[in-house]
Amino acid sequence: MSTQEIAEVVMELPEKDRLDLARRIIASIVVERELSASVAESVQGIEDVITGKVRGLSEAEFREALG
């Protein structure tokens, strides 16, 4: 099975299963500890936005935050 075929199958999974798979893939990649922690924190932030735990910024709010 090609990477493209795997990706297509994965995208058909429910959101919760895709998030779990993303966590497992990231955890399986051996990277510098500090970078690994940053990636894990980023994934958690994405999950928080997707699940509605936190509200993401609108484009206008994002541009304003950039200064």
Side-chain angles (χ1 to χ4, degrees):
M1 187 178 279
S2 72
T3 304
Q4 180 62 34
E5 291 168 323
I6 293 169
E8 289 172 6
V9 170
V10 167
M11 295 310 292
E12 293 176 11
L13 293 171
E15 184 177 281
K16 183 177 182 237
D17 293 339
R18 291 193 320 263
L19 287 170
D20 182 55
L21 182 57
R23 275 194 298 280
R24 291 175 63 188
I25 290 169
I26 290 168
S28 74
I29 299 170
V30 179
V31 294
E32 190 176 317
R33 180 177 284 204
E34 196 172 302
L35 178 57
S36 180
S38 295
V39 170
E41 183 179 331
S42 298
V43 169
Q44 183 62 53
I46 292 168
E47 288 180 15
D48 289 346
V49 171
I50 290 172
T51 61
K53 189 173 181 179
V54 296
R55 184 182 72 81
L57 299 175
S58 68
E59 183 177 353
E61 291 168 326
F62 176 76
R63 290 184 184 280
E64 185 177 321
L66 289 176

